[in-house]
Amino acid sequence: MRPFLLVIILVGIGISGLKAQTTTINLDLITGKLNGGLPLPAEEEFYIRGPIPENIEIVKLKINQSKKAEKTAMTYFWTAPFGYNDLSYQVLVADPLRSNEDYHLEIGYYQKAGADQIQEVRDLIHQNIEAYLSTVTKIKRGGVKFTESDEVLLNNLSQIVTRGAYYFEMPNGEQFPGFSDITRSKLEQRSKLKMGKAKFNVTGLSENDNARAAYAEKYISELENILFAEVDQYLSPNMLVRVNETVFENYPTEKTANSLPINVGYGAISVSKGLPEQEFVASPYAGVSFPLGNRTFARFMNNMSISTGFFLSGDMKNQLDEKISGPVLDRPIYVGLGYNFFRFIRLNAGGTFITTEKLDGSNQKGFQPFVGVSAEFNLWLGIGNKKK
């Protein structure tokens, strides 16, 4: 490898090893401004910092692109250090935001819930579960039937809990895990119920009682008790309740600057065609790359690129002393696929358009394979922040 390329690569490795400090933006509750009214950072991690009153134990941040559904939102938590009363919080947004997009941000503040508040939400969820089960339950001669499959039933029951406890959080930020295998087993049990034997399984019936309905009601009551027990276990006395929130709709992110990767390297061209043995000619080269993805969101594809450029030397010759030139400025032109290592070193491989000036005065054009290694620099285009 030529000395100039080695120097460039070593400098590049040193530069790429430097890590920029994570940006921190502030939320001012008095003015209601986030980041001083400026756009949010894009394509990088950043902190959101703001003041909190006493007794706040959790700050929850939900953020998603405004044009996408809420279920795509990313959720982050700040938890008060044990034994300390902090007057501010700092939440790390670990998943970078996309450039020049609008986002919905919802910041919720939670403190310890009162016993009456927890009991109120328990009762509400119990009522909604009872109402839902009565809607989907049918009693037939063959047994108790639901109009929905067990999986759909469990999913809808979990949503009832999640929505009912929307303003509540566990101290560790964990969400409702769904209903256990005990509930699943109880649901599977209904397929074994024999309504023909109902009168032998329900005691205390008068002649006017409907044994089948009473037997089904007994099963549903047992199922509800299991569901209620799991809900109550989740809604523990340690629950926190949201006491305030700050919402930003359609908040923009900054528009990052575009860049054009420039490659300067050293490569070898195979020129063995028509020669008695394998031969390579080498030269410095320069060119540009077109990444196949955004580094922040598709690192592997961003490391790959389509590259093109030309070899710089005008004095390449094969072993027959025939000059190797090309179609532009008498220089070989290359196209190929490149892959980045250490974000700075790029390995290229592809083909080269060359012209071999034969000893008899004729020119032979060809397309020959090449390999090369280069250092890559970004040429920033337009106005905007230069991203790493």
Side-chain angles (χ1 to χ4, degrees), residues 336-354:
L337 185 67
Y339 189 83
N340 255 9
F341 296 91
F342 309 113
R343 296 187 59 180
F344 182 78
I345 303 173
R346 180 172 293 276
L347 179 65
N348 293 299
T352 311
F353 296 96
I354 66 172

Side-chain angles (χ1 to χ4, degrees), residues 2 265-271 279-286 309-334 352-359 368-371:
R2 295 297 176 87
Y266 197 78
I269 307 171
S270 172
V271 292
E279 182 181 356
F280 291 89
V281 294
S283 165
Y285 66 83
F310 60 93
F311 284 78
L312 302 176
S313 176
D315 191 32
M316 289 187 289
K317 293 182 180 181
N318 61 23
Q319 60 183 330
L320 300 179
D321 204 34
E322 296 171 336
K323 184 178 180 180
I324 306 299
S325 61
V328 177
L329 300 176
D330 291 331
R331 301 294 190 272
I333 299 297
Y334 72 86
T352 311
F353 296 96
I354 66 172
T355 300
T356 303
E357 300 178 10
K358 310 297 287 184
L359 296 178
Q368 296 294 111
F370 92 99
V371 292

Side-chain angles (χ1 to χ4, degrees), residues 22-38:
T22 303
T23 302
T24 299
I25 65 174
N26 293 303
L27 170 61
D28 191 327
L29 293 179
I30 297 177
T31 62
K33 288 186 177 182
L34 179 63
N35 198 25
L38 298 175

Side-chain angles (χ1 to χ4, degrees), residues 54-58 109-118 167-171 236-243:
E54 293 184 6
N55 302 322
I56 294 298
E57 297 189 23
I58 279 183
Y109 306 90
Y110 294 80
Q111 68 181 28
K112 188 174 179 60
D116 55 339
Q117 293 175 308
I118 297 175
Y167 291 103
F168 291 79
E169 289 287 342
M170 292 290 290
S236 70
N238 295 326
M239 292 295 286
L240 306 175
V241 63
R242 182 182 296 197
V243 293

Side-chain angles (χ1 to χ4, degrees), residues 49 59 67 77 118 132 136 147 179 186 189 199 210 221 294 311 319-320 332 370:
R49 181 170 57 199
V59 176
K67 62 184 180 183
F77 288 92
I118 297 175
Y132 173 65
V136 300
T147 58
F179 292 97
K186 190 63 181 178
Q189 181 188 353
K199 62 183 178 180
N210 186 329
S221 177
N294 186 302
F311 284 78
Q319 60 183 330
L320 300 179
F370 92 99

Side-chain angles (χ1 to χ4, degrees), residues 228-277:
F228 295 163
E230 295 197 30
V231 170
D232 294 350
Q233 184 178 7
Y234 171 66
L235 295 171
S236 70
N238 295 326
M239 292 295 286
L240 306 175
V241 63
R242 182 182 296 197
V243 293
N244 199 359
E245 64 183 17
T246 304
V247 178
F248 295 93
E249 298 280 1
N250 300 319
Y251 203 100
T253 58
E254 63 188 1
K255 184 176 181 179
T256 58
N258 296 320
S259 65
L260 182 65
I262 304 297
N263 292 281
V264 178
Y266 197 78
I269 307 171
S270 172
V271 292
S272 57
K273 184 176 180 180
L275 297 177
E277 60 184 24

